[in-house]
Amino acid sequence: MARKIRLGAFLPGGGQHIASWRHPDQPVDGAVSFEFHKHLAQTAERGLFDAYFLADNLAVGFGGAREGGNDRVAGFEPTTLFSALAPFTTNLGFIATSSTTYEEPYLTARKFASLDLISGGRAGWNVVTTTGDSAAQNFNLDTQLPHASRYKRAAEHVDVVKALWDSFEDDAFVRDVQSGVFYDKAKLHETNHRGEHFQVRGPLNVPRSPQGHPVIVQAGQSEDGRDLAAATAEVIFTAHQHIETAQEFYRDIKTRARRLGRDPNHILVMPGVSPFVGRTLAEAQEKYERLTSLILEEDGVGLLNGLTGGTLDLKGYDLDGPLPVAPPTEGMKSRQALLRQIADENNFTIRQLYQWVASARGHYTIVGTPETIVDTLQEWFENEAADGFNILPPWLPTALDDFVDLVIPELQRRGLFRTEYEGTTLRENLGLPYPVNRWSVEQPVAQAAE
Amino acid sequence: MARKIRLGAFLPGGGQHIASWRHPDQPVDGAVSFEFHKHLAQTAERGLFDAYFLADNLAVGFGGAREGGNDRVAGFEPTTLFSALAPFTTNLGFIATSSTTYEEPYLTARKFASLDLISGGRAGWNVVTTTGDSAAQNFNLDTQLPHASRYKRAAEHVDVVKALWDSFEDDAFVRDVQSGVFYDKAKLHETNHRGEHFQVRGPLNVPRSPQGHPVIVQAGQSEDGRDLAAATAEVIFTAHQHIETAQEFYRDIKTRARRLGRDPNHILVMPGVSPFVGRTLAEAQEKYERLTSLILEEDGVGLLNGLTGGTLDLKGYDLDGPLPVAPPTEGMKSRQALLRQIADENNFTIRQLYQWVASARGHYTIVGTPETIVDTLQEWFENEAADGFNILPPWLPTALDDFVDLVIPELQRRGLFRTEYEGTTLRENLGLPYPVNRWSVEQPVAQAAE
Ligand SMILES: Cc1cc2nc3c(=O)[nH]c(=O)nc-3n(C[C@H](O)[C@H](O)[C@H](O)COP(=O)(O)O)c2cc1C
Ligand SMILES: Cc1cc2nc3c(=O)[nH]c(=O)nc-3n(C[C@H](O)[C@H](O)[C@H](O)COP(=O)(O)O)c2cc1C
């Protein structure tokens, strides 16, 4: 079977673009409307997307922006929302973000296994370390832990979660009414983890879920982030402005994974793309200008500061002048560097920079027709820059409709994308192997293949 | 309006009665079947129940029983399950259990606010301290904290959660596209809690939910448990075998609440009842015998040990002899005392005791016709023993159907129970007041009335 492009959909309900809530197509209460999220999920499924993705933070104010001007200030908690959406769809995956720094592995393992059960095998976990003091201050700390400590904790957290997901072997549940044997107690295993950060006995009180393990997703870009991704992730989100940096990242990740003995085909690299789609280039350009015109200055400036972890205080600077140099951050190092790069390359003023990143916050923005957009996606896909893409419609729902109705058919016409779902689980649709339970020693062949 | 009986439904999916999974009416995979839970929720709503309730533990093995013999060993996580069930119902409340000992207040506040949003105001939180070392060992401890420390932590945890639920005032969201004001920043408040156990800055990243605060439920029976309930709970679950002890408890709770300045009508006491319903007494008795005959000895013995927090090791004892005296427990003190009482009063052997508690694990078991059952409920309701009841159908789904089809109509005939829902939120149906936001000082009248 020919390799196909994988597609995730970033559909925050509230806007992806900082001014999208001011766009007439987007419901102003989208961020807190269950019906709206249901419509988005069903549209993504109509487009045969692999998964619906939700970013997350554990504090008010994700994404910066002016106080009072941000429609993403408050919304649903991702795993409860996705649980509620799952029964209204049949094939779409649901990738929820959850923090390794502020959550406990037993609870992480449990909620994702539960979502996987509810959805019949369509759950994914976006593993994040959660940057920023504002989240730390909601969890008994004054400031966040250093970058390196967060990643050490993350690696251990993921290990424990995976062990807990193996608590019951696949065939542990006998449910024999006659004998009264409900499960085979020899197939229920304690985890007995005693590590630097966590001590967890197990077993987990959720059965092995349909996917065995929900799909592990990761989005760290630093050295530590790449190491964690190479060791554990099956899908990687990333942000690039150029095919060259995307290729560098792609090859680096695949090399790291191979070095760790993993099959590089089982770690899918998916850069973010924010598409403004028009039937003509002029129409696409018009859509871009329209949304850009809705950005308030204060919001643009706040966004840049937010994206760099609060290191870019632009008060007093001329917005039509150059971007000043920001001090180093313990937060999202990669995002800070990326903003610098975009500004330098394009010779952007502060205003032009915020206008450009307002739609996708560091991801690749494409303004084009279905043909030119697919040209780009195809080029990235066929030249070791991407295994698929995360689509960030700049506003909702109509920019998502544009992608589904105009771009997907073009992808299909070129044989680059599925015309129907391959399977019912997220793993099957992504072409990822089923993780053999660590306790099921009877299956050495399958285990070796993993 | 005449006072009405409130009804909760304990519908664990897996069996309430220890042998219920061996009952031919109950699907053996009920504990992990989303469709089955959906059917139960819709049946409860057909019966006009106030709420669906799920107990919870943070370890394998809740409720004791023999290894391998327990169908409640694994299942869904309650808030994800309830989020998925909510859209398939319109009036039914959902009371999920969540631990103050092992969860973080920010996450507790968030998941319940999210469930409240998803369900349109039908969420309740059963506040528990989670007894047992097995749960402690999943959360970085070797043994559980002492009873008193758990309750101190619980009180602080609830305080923080309630403060977080007030982060946004009710009218904080302006969503004015023209001016770009999405929310009024003066109506977003930090919590700034610095206590003995928690330090939480806030604000919560979920809006005030439809109920303002999800309904607070509590089930501790000890002195500390009653103090917490009187201070914070709006619904209280309790287990009694006799109207006299139920009355003592009822009056004690109402007195404690009054002493704290609360309106005793806003704290609803709901004892558990496990009904075997027959059109005739003989038919009801037959249903009881049938289920009892399915209990395996080992499961019965394990159950008694589990219910007393592992203090009743009955190995070597004659099952047809008397119950030995158990050592004191740091776990469920009240449950241990209750078992002793049931055994003494009825002069039960070990076997008779486990047969009796197998259906309801300490709650009141009634075997009767709709008329005799309603006689009892009415007596309790009209004589300061109960404001309502939590119904624990001994097996599912047919024992729930029996209650809905036979007992509910009899309750309605006597004017004791609603014939349609009063409102769409759990609070409205329970007749509980809407909690005024602590920051909304403009409403002194409403605040005084709370
Ligand atoms: C596409 C993408 C999506 C991300 N989503 C989240 C998120 O939802 N929540 C979060 O806390 N961090 C998110 N991050 C941040 C990363 O998980 C990571 O914490 C951050 O990049 C800092 O790590 P680094 O220094 O390794 O890059 C995202 C990053 C990228 C590139
Ligand atoms: C009806 C009822 C339901 C309960 N449900 C739970 C539960 O789901 N999870 C839990 O950990 N404890 C549960 N408990 C235990 C209580 O919340 C409390 O922790 C226990 O009774 C010990 O406290 P106490 O010593 O104050 O009684 C329940 C108790 C009762 C009476």
Side-chain angles (χ1 to χ4, degrees):
Chain A
M1 205 179 60
R3 184 168 158 259
K4 301 276 187 216
I5 286 182
R6 314 294 172 186
L7 290 181
F10 277 56
L11 308 170
Q16 190 64 248
H17 186 288
I18 196 171
S20 62
W21 71 272
R22 303 180 71 207
H23 192 291
D25 288 357
Q26 185 160 314
V28 284
D29 66 347
V32 295
S33 162
F34 177 68
E35 284 306 313
F36 186 58
H37 282 82
K38 192 165 112 185
H39 174 74
L40 296 176
Q42 291 175 334
T43 305
E45 186 159 84
R46 177 163 69 79
L48 305 178
F49 274 87
D50 289 272
Y52 187 156
F53 173 84
L54 278 177
D56 194 49
N57 192 20
L58 293 172
V60 156
F62 189 59
R66 165 182 53 97
E67 266 191 274
N70 186 353
D71 68 326
R72 294 172 77 179
V73 69
F76 297 98
E77 182 282 327
T79 55
T80 45
L81 175 63
F82 277 162
S83 296
L85 292 175
F88 294 100
T89 53
T90 52
N91 295 79
L92 186 67
F94 290 96
I95 300 174
T97 297
S98 185
S99 174
T100 51
T101 304
Y102 303 116
E103 304 228 14
E104 283 290 325
Y106 198 86
L107 300 175
T108 306
R110 194 176 184 215
K111 70 183 179 179
F112 282 98
S114 190
L115 175 59
D116 208 44
L117 262 187
I118 290 166
S119 63
R122 297 184 279 135
W125 170 26
N126 181 34
V127 177
V128 299
T129 63
T130 311
T131 61
D133 291 340
S134 61
Q137 288 160 5
N138 290 328
F139 293 88
N140 314 309
L141 298 173
D142 291 320
T143 54
Q144 66 179 332
L145 303 172
H147 192 268
S149 329
R150 291 205 310 276
Y151 270 106
K152 277 173 84 174
R153 191 179 173 90
E156 189 180 333
H157 191 128
V158 174
D159 278 352
V160 178
V161 167
K162 287 166 82 170
L164 287 168
W165 283 337
D166 286 347
S167 295
F168 289 92
E169 294 184 44
D170 293 28
D171 55 353
F173 289 94
V174 180
R175 301 191 180 107
D176 183 32
V177 169
Q178 217 41 51
S179 65
V181 176
F182 189 76
Y183 63 94
D184 179 349
K185 64 186 180 186
K187 296 191 170 175
L188 171 58
H189 304 276
E190 288 181 358
T191 299
N192 289 320
H193 175 87
R194 282 178 179 268
E196 196 182 330
H197 305 88
F198 302 109
Q199 178 182 323
V200 181
R201 195 180 86 167
L204 187 65
N205 57 357
V206 186
R208 269 278 278 196
S209 66
Q211 293 188 106
H213 296 179
V215 174
I216 305 270
V217 181
Q218 216 269 359
Q221 310 287 308
S222 62
E223 278 297 309
D224 288 339
R226 292 178 190 210
D227 281 343
L228 178 64
T232 66
E234 303 175 276
V235 171
I236 297 184
F237 294 151
T238 178
H240 296 280
Q241 298 288 319
H242 300 285
I243 189 169
E244 293 78 17
T245 63
Q247 284 171 325
E248 179 279 320
F249 180 78
Y250 185 98
R251 290 173 188 147
D252 179 57
I253 286 291
K254 302 272 174 167
T255 305
R256 287 176 200 244
R258 210 181 280 108
R259 221 181 279 142
L260 294 171
R262 295 186 63 198
D263 179 341
N265 294 320
H266 296 159
I267 175 164
L268 305 170
V269 177
M270 296 171 67
V273 170
S274 177
F276 290 80
V277 188
R279 271 159 239 267
T280 61
L281 195 59
E283 190 187 282
Q285 194 64 39
E286 203 176 276
K287 287 179 181 177
Y288 178 76
E289 303 293 350
R290 180 178 197 180
L291 200 49
T292 297
S293 73
L294 297 172
I295 308 172
L296 298 175
E297 275 184 9
E298 266 186 286
D299 290 344
V301 166
L303 174 67
L304 295 182
N305 195 34
L307 285 178
T308 56
T311 56
L312 255 183
D313 181 359
L314 294 168
K315 215 167 18 207
Y317 283 90
D318 175 9
L319 299 187
D320 297 307
L323 185 73
V325 174
T329 174
E330 277 300 324
M332 294 205 205
K333 290 181 198 290
S334 58
R335 202 61 71 88
Q336 193 191 53
L338 193 63
L339 286 187
R340 181 79 257 164
Q341 183 197 326
I342 299 172
D344 290 349
E345 281 179 353
N346 298 286
N347 221 345
F348 274 162
T349 63
I350 294 174
R351 186 187 312 279
Q352 286 167 325
L353 180 64
Y354 76 62
Q355 286 179 344
W356 185 247
V357 300
S359 65
R361 304 175 191 213
H363 291 275
Y364 188 47
T365 297
I366 317 188
V367 183
T369 64
E371 292 71 27
T372 64
I373 289 174
V374 173
D375 285 347
T376 302
L377 301 186
Q378 183 166 7
E379 190 194 356
W380 286 45
F381 178 63
E382 293 179 347
N383 293 285
E384 298 197 313
D387 296 309
F389 301 92
N390 285 296
I391 304 305
L392 298 84
W395 76 95
L396 293 167
T398 39
L400 174 62
D401 288 320
D402 286 348
F403 194 88
V404 167
D405 296 331
L406 301 174
V407 180
I408 295 278
E410 180 61 24
L411 283 168
Q412 290 170 327
R413 227 176 338 263
R414 300 195 199 176
L416 293 168
F417 190 62
R418 67 167 64 88
T419 51
E420 57 182 35
Y421 282 107
E422 294 84 5
T424 58
T425 71
L426 176 56
R427 245 170 221 294
E428 284 163 4
N429 287 316
L430 289 172
L432 294 170
Y434 180 85
V436 173
N437 191 304
R438 70 193 61 199
W439 301 100
S440 304
V441 285
E442 305 85 0
Q443 303 166 38
V445 179
Q447 198 149 30
E450 199 210 356
Chain B
M1 204 179 58
R3 186 170 157 258
K4 301 276 188 215
I5 286 182
R6 313 295 172 186
L7 291 181
F10 277 57
L11 308 171
Q16 191 62 249
H17 186 288
I18 195 172
S20 62
W21 71 272
R22 302 181 71 208
H23 192 290
D25 289 358
Q26 186 162 313
V28 285
D29 66 347
V32 294
S33 162
F34 178 68
E35 284 305 314
F36 187 57
H37 283 83
K38 191 164 113 185
H39 174 74
L40 296 175
Q42 290 175 333
T43 306
E45 186 160 84
R46 177 164 68 79
L48 304 177
F49 274 86
D50 289 271
Y52 187 156
F53 173 84
L54 278 177
D56 194 50
N57 192 22
L58 292 172
V60 155
F62 189 59
R66 166 182 52 98
E67 266 191 271
N70 186 353
D71 68 325
R72 293 172 75 178
V73 68
F76 297 98
E77 183 281 326
T79 54
T80 45
L81 176 63
F82 277 162
S83 296
L85 292 175
F88 294 100
T89 53
T90 52
N91 296 80
L92 186 68
F94 290 96
I95 300 174
T97 296
S98 186
S99 174
T100 51
T101 304
Y102 303 117
E103 304 226 13
E104 284 290 327
Y106 198 85
L107 301 175
T108 306
R110 193 174 184 217
K111 69 183 180 179
F112 282 99
S114 190
L115 176 60
D116 209 44
L117 262 187
I118 290 166
S119 64
R122 297 184 281 134
W125 170 28
N126 180 36
V127 176
V128 299
T129 63
T130 312
T131 60
D133 293 339
S134 60
Q137 288 160 6
N138 290 328
F139 294 89
N140 315 309
L141 297 174
D142 291 319
T143 55
Q144 67 179 330
L145 303 172
H147 191 269
S149 327
R150 290 205 310 275
Y151 270 106
K152 277 172 87 172
R153 191 179 173 90
E156 189 179 333
H157 191 129
V158 174
D159 278 353
V160 178
V161 167
K162 287 166 80 170
L164 286 168
W165 283 336
D166 286 347
S167 296
F168 289 93
E169 293 184 46
D170 293 28
D171 55 352
F173 289 94
V174 180
R175 301 191 180 105
D176 182 32
V177 168
Q178 217 40 51
S179 65
V181 175
F182 190 76
Y183 64 93
D184 179 349
K185 64 187 180 183
K187 296 192 171 176
L188 170 57
H189 303 276
E190 289 181 359
T191 299
N192 288 322
H193 175 85
R194 283 177 178 267
E196 196 181 330
H197 304 89
F198 303 108
Q199 178 182 323
V200 180
R201 194 179 88 167
L204 187 65
N205 56 358
V206 186
R208 269 279 276 196
S209 66
Q211 294 188 106
H213 295 179
V215 174
I216 304 269
V217 181
Q218 215 269 356
Q221 311 287 306
S222 62
E223 277 298 309
D224 288 341
R226 292 178 189 208
D227 280 345
L228 178 64
T232 66
E234 303 175 277
V235 171
I236 297 183
F237 294 151
T238 177
H240 296 280
Q241 298 290 318
H242 301 285
I243 189 169
E244 292 78 17
T245 62
Q247 284 171 325
E248 179 278 321
F249 180 78
Y250 184 98
R251 289 174 188 148
D252 179 57
I253 286 291
K254 301 272 173 164
T255 305
R256 286 176 201 245
R258 209 179 281 109
R259 221 181 279 143
L260 294 171
R262 295 184 63 196
D263 180 340
N265 295 319
H266 296 160
I267 174 165
L268 306 169
V269 177
M270 297 171 65
V273 170
S274 177
F276 290 81
V277 188
R279 271 159 237 267
T280 62
L281 195 57
E283 190 187 282
Q285 194 64 39
E286 204 176 274
K287 288 179 180 175
Y288 177 77
E289 303 293 348
R290 180 179 197 179
L291 200 49
T292 297
S293 73
L294 297 173
I295 308 171
L296 298 175
E297 275 185 9
E298 266 186 287
D299 290 345
V301 167
L303 174 67
L304 295 181
N305 194 35
L307 285 178
T308 57
T311 57
L312 255 182
D313 181 358
L314 293 168
K315 213 161 28 201
Y317 283 91
D318 174 11
L319 299 188
D320 296 309
L323 185 74
V325 173
T329 175
E330 276 300 324
M332 292 206 207
K333 291 182 199 289
S334 59
R335 202 60 72 88
Q336 193 191 53
L338 193 62
L339 286 187
R340 182 79 256 165
Q341 183 196 324
I342 299 171
D344 290 349
E345 281 179 352
N346 299 285
N347 221 346
F348 274 161
T349 62
I350 295 174
R351 186 186 312 278
Q352 287 168 325
L353 180 63
Y354 76 61
Q355 286 179 344
W356 185 249
V357 300
S359 64
R361 307 177 187 208
H363 291 276
Y364 188 46
T365 298
I366 316 186
V367 182
T369 64
E371 292 71 27
T372 64
I373 289 173
V374 173
D375 285 349
T376 301
L377 302 185
Q378 183 165 8
E379 190 194 355
W380 287 46
F381 178 63
E382 292 178 347
N383 292 285
E384 298 196 315
D387 296 309
F389 301 91
N390 285 296
I391 305 304
L392 299 84
W395 75 96
L396 293 166
T398 40
L400 173 63
D401 288 319
D402 286 349
F403 194 89
V404 167
D405 296 331
L406 302 173
V407 180
I408 296 278
E410 180 61 23
L411 282 167
Q412 290 169 327
R413 224 171 347 257
R414 300 196 198 176
L416 293 168
F417 189 62
R418 65 168 65 88
T419 52
E420 55 182 36
Y421 282 107
E422 294 84 5
T424 58
T425 71
L426 176 56
R427 242 167 224 295
E428 284 164 4
N429 286 316
L430 289 172
L432 293 170
Y434 180 85
V436 173
N437 191 306
R438 71 193 60 199
W439 301 100
S440 303
V441 285
E442 306 84 358
Q443 301 165 40
V445 179
Q447 198 150 32
E450 199 208 356

